[in-house]
Amino acid sequence: MKIITKDDSLYPEKLLEIKDPPGKLYLKGRAELLENRAIAIVGSRKCSEYGKIVAMKIASEAVLNGFSVISGMALGIDNFAHRGALKAGGNTIAVLGTGIDVCYPRQHEALYDRIATEGLLISEQEPGTGPKRYTFPLRNRIISGLSEAVIVVEARADSGSLITAELAMEQNRQVFAVPGNITSLFSLGTNRLISEGAQIVSVIGDIFTGLGVEPRLDEDDLKELGKDERTIFSLVRENGEMSIDMLCFRTGRDFVTVNTLVSALEMKGFVDYRMGKVMAVKF
């Protein structure tokens, strides 16, 4: 365990920008992760299968693009955000609402141990402090404060992740929200955030382009594409942008077929289609 104060060189500069920075922080794990660019991924403790998949995918792509992934090690979206980051290389930071030596919830003991080894645990609470109602809202300001942007994946109308989003706005951090089914309780909070001005995540690359980063392609991503989809994507990637007509000419396929393939690639986050041009999202 390491203790740092606001006078230490390792103390994150971004935390000094917030209204009430913690006087000291307890660290356990890879303290150098504090030097990385970082995004926070948060959401409801109860989440859908869709939310689980999206949280893990955003987290793994964040690590691929050089970011640390910050969350609160809670059940639900937090859990899957940490796991997605660990799967991609381990650059994840868990901000605890307990003492640094207390694992909460108890069922996350394996996750706690893995983050302590491969990532970083942070707390402002004294060692031995158990879970208390007031410590978790306090923890949220650190999650947003350490981040350049907060991404809310799923949130019920009363989700605590909405508090983190509000704190992020107050701290002049970017806020992104993943849109969801308007009939789902899991999407009430995120859809409301979008209506109030949060940036919508149409494809995962939106997050990184919004932060001034050209999204990198994980070659494993290509495995999810069919042969014809890979052909179209390779052409667009090599040329930067192409029209549908040019893709038809280069592939010898008809307009309807090429347009269908481009639509599928757009939904999967590989290309964007604007002003009559197909543009690569990942490189």
Side-chain angles (χ1 to χ4, degrees):
M1 183 179 69
K2 179 180 292 186
I3 304 172
I4 59 172
T5 68
K6 288 188 284 187
D7 296 325
D8 289 317
S9 60
L10 190 58
Y11 193 94
E13 290 185 10
K14 293 192 76 64
L15 275 188
L16 294 174
E17 300 171 1
I18 70 174
K19 183 178 180 181
D20 183 25
K24 61 183 174 181
L25 291 168
Y26 297 89
L27 312 178
K28 189 175 184 180
R30 296 170 56 206
E32 68 271 17
L33 292 183
L34 291 173
E35 299 174 4
N36 290 0
R37 297 184 69 179
I39 63 168
I41 301 175
V42 297
S44 294
R45 286 173 171 77
K46 291 184 179 180
C47 65
S48 68
E49 187 67 18
Y50 167 75
K52 165 187 171 180
I53 293 169
V54 170
M56 292 188 72
K57 184 67 173 172
I58 293 174
S60 64
E61 295 217 9
V63 172
L64 176 68
N65 283 282
F67 289 83
S68 292
V69 173
I70 301 174
S71 202
M73 213 182 78
L75 297 171
I77 296 299
D78 288 21
N79 170 33
F80 296 114
H82 289 306
R83 293 185 186 280
L86 288 167
K87 184 178 179 181
N91 291 355
T92 192
I93 299 172
V95 183
L96 308 182
T98 60
I100 197 76
D101 55 342
V102 177
C103 175
Y104 181 82
R106 296 300 297 176
Q107 56 264 55
H108 277 176
E109 285 184 358
L111 179 62
Y112 172 95
D113 290 340
R114 191 172 174 193
I115 294 175
T117 302
E118 301 176 40
L120 177 65
L121 299 168
I122 294 180
S123 177
E124 68 173 325
Q125 303 300 324
E126 295 292 327
T129 302
K132 301 181 186 301
R133 184 178 294 273
Y134 70 89
T135 59
F136 292 97
L138 283 175
R139 174 271 308 269
N140 291 345
R141 85 190 193 286
I142 300 176
I143 291 175
S144 57
L146 286 170
S147 309
E148 291 184 36
V150 171
I151 297 89
V152 186
V153 176
E154 280 188 330
R156 292 171 177 257
D158 59 349
S159 173
S161 59
L162 299 179
I163 297 174
T164 308
E166 290 172 7
L167 289 166
M169 292 176 187
E170 292 174 6
Q171 296 165 351
N172 294 315
R173 308 304 193 240
Q174 293 192 59
V175 176
F176 294 84
V178 176
N181 187 333
I182 62 172
T183 65
S184 171
L185 291 174
F186 299 119
S187 302
L188 290 176
T190 47
N191 290 347
R192 192 187 82 197
L193 283 174
I194 292 168
S195 71
E196 293 175 351
Q199 298 181 62
I200 187 170
V201 181
S202 298
V203 296
I204 292 175
D206 289 343
I207 297 167
F208 306 110
T209 54
L211 294 171
V213 174
E214 188 176 85
R216 290 175 54 196
L217 174 69
D218 185 345
E219 294 298 329
D220 286 342
D221 289 347
L222 292 176
K223 295 177 183 178
E224 72 180 72
L225 300 182
K227 181 180 177 181
D228 290 340
E229 290 174 336
R230 284 199 298 271
T231 298
I232 295 292
F233 177 66
S234 295
L235 284 169
V236 175
R237 186 183 179 193
E238 289 167 8
N239 292 276
E241 64 178 35
M242 297 185 75
S243 67
I244 296 287
D245 288 341
M246 181 55 69
L247 286 169
C248 291
F249 175 75
R250 294 287 297 275
T251 61
R253 308 298 291 272
D254 62 88
F255 180 87
V256 173
T257 300
V258 170
N259 194 52
T260 300
L261 291 168
V262 167
S263 295
L265 287 168
E266 188 175 17
M267 288 193 321
K268 293 176 181 179
F270 284 83
V271 302
D272 198 2
Y273 185 35
R274 297 179 190 170
M275 306 296 290
K277 295 286 187 179
V278 184
M279 294 160 282
V281 172
K282 296 182 179 180
F283 295 88

